Amino acid sequence: MTIALEHPVLHSTAIALPARFQASYTTRLVAVGVDKRPSDFWLETAGTPQAGDVVIARVTAINNHKRVETPESRKAILFEGVLVMLAYGHRYAADQFLAHVPEDLGPCHLVAAGGIAGTVTALHDRVDEPTEIEPLGLLTNARGTVNVRDFAAFDNPLKVEAPNKRAQVIAVLGTSMNSGKSTTLACLVNGLAAAGQKVAAGKITGTGAGNDRMIYHDAGAHSVIDFTDFGYPTTFKLNFAEIRALSVNMINVLADSGADTVIVEIADGIYQGETSRLLRDQVFQEAVDHVVFSAVDALGAKAGVQELQAAGLHVAAASGVMTASPLATAEAAAVLEVPVVPTFDLTNPEIVTAVLTDHA
């Protein structure tokens, strides 16, 4: 969504919204509000950004991220000088960046293609330097600085209890980023939908991006949401009460869609801070019936499954990137007491149904 607007200059630290800028995936709900009532918004050039605050910034040097994801999940090509609407956020991505919300509106970085602004403090050796941006100002209306939480589709009340069991709930976790979690979840969706179930899918934690929810939708999920629908551009560094509540509230929303099965993805690896604590939380454990674990290799699969079982979770199967290798699959099958199922075999309704019933 590219928004073209015209506004007068308002006062000393306020400037009009630029005539044209590109909204991003994480700011898509805000962009709808701006498009409906553009005269209600302006930019403030002074202030201290907080996680979720919306900023319009100019791209000044294109490096690692050469595209930004639009509200429709199209990857828009970036050019130097283009203006983009982003959300400030922290990022934890072992294969890319560690980034944090800066303390001022000075130059910083585009730290995720989904539309996250932050300051990179560490990066993987194989990743290019981050794309550089220059904030013009914080999006503002009569109520103050606009945060993506102001336009959330769903609330996240912190007082939660484990949901009543209206639907089977499966959590997909993994050894790390890029262990095959999203593909595993999509294959579970596809197989269960082929078995005649209504399947709802969601991503509880991570960094805002539309590609995961699109693959869930393409696989056959009848309802798909993620944490950005609750007003979070990322979940890194959220306090644990919010993480717990987000998990249960997302499961409830998906179950209320009429689903027979709800499948949720937890980002990164099981040693990531928020994930490690969440999988040991009693409320989360009571909300989840099964875990399907994605791993890169047999050693990771064995360690991860043991960690989850020790935490008190029921692991129904191991899958993921390792199952692309027959040798790694055989190694894992030899040392695990749970089934090792090649990812795309989960699209077979008989196989996926057996995995989730015979090993309950």
Side-chain angles (χ1 to χ4, degrees), residues 31-253:
V32 172
V34 173
D35 194 40
K36 286 181 178 178
R37 297 182 61 88
S39 61
D40 289 352
F41 299 90
W42 63 91
L43 298 182
E44 286 287 345
T45 59
T48 302
Q50 305 296 318
D53 285 351
V54 178
V55 62
I56 292 181
R58 178 181 291 107
V59 176
T60 55
I62 298 170
N63 295 307
N64 185 67
H65 286 105
K66 297 174 174 57
R67 298 170 183 260
V68 67
E69 191 173 5
T70 71
E72 302 79 20
S73 283
R74 182 178 70 85
K75 297 296 178 63
I77 297 172
L78 292 174
F79 293 89
E80 288 191 10
V82 73
L83 301 181
V84 288
M85 184 162 73
L86 313 171
Y88 280 105
H90 309 287
R91 188 176 190 199
Y92 179 104
D95 286 1
Q96 287 198 18
F97 300 135
L98 176 66
H100 304 280
V101 176
E103 296 181 354
D104 56 38
L105 296 183
C108 58
H109 305 117
L110 175 63
V111 302
I116 304 297
T119 298
V120 171
T121 57
L123 69 161
H124 195 285
D125 285 348
R126 292 194 295 270
V127 173
D128 290 340
E129 292 292 321
T131 290
E132 298 174 15
I133 59 174
E134 179 184 35
L136 272 62
L138 293 168
L139 187 68
T140 306
N141 61 16
R143 291 177 295 179
T145 300
V146 174
N147 191 285
V148 290
R149 290 289 296 274
D150 301 333
F151 290 82
F154 305 104
D155 292 329
N156 188 32
L158 298 185
K159 185 177 181 180
V160 293
E161 297 178 355
N164 295 325
K165 292 295 181 184
R166 297 157 293 176
Q168 173 179 234
V169 179
I170 304 166
V172 177
L173 294 102
T175 51
S176 63
M177 183 180 180
N178 296 325
S179 60
K181 297 184 294 296
S182 297
T183 303
T184 296
L185 190 152
C187 289
L188 286 165
V189 167
N190 188 258
L192 290 170
Q197 293 193 29
K198 283 187 175 181
V199 187
K203 187 167 185 179
I204 291 176
T205 62
T207 302
N211 55 300
D212 289 330
R213 69 187 297 154
M214 294 302 293
I215 192 174
Y216 305 163
H217 174 79
D218 293 345
H222 85 106
S223 179
V224 177
I225 57 177
D226 66 21
F227 51 87
T228 65
D229 293 300
F230 289 79
Y232 298 101
T234 74
T235 57
F236 179 43
K237 300 184 77 170
L238 282 183
N239 68 67
F240 185 69
E242 288 183 279
I243 293 286
R244 176 200 285 127
L246 178 61
S247 303
V248 176
N249 289 329
M250 185 178 296
I251 289 170
N252 281 333
V253 168

Side-chain angles (χ1 to χ4, degrees), residues 287-305:
V288 173
D289 298 299
H290 310 290
V291 170
V292 175
F293 188 68
S294 294
V296 175
D297 56 25
L299 180 61
K302 182 175 176 62
V305 168

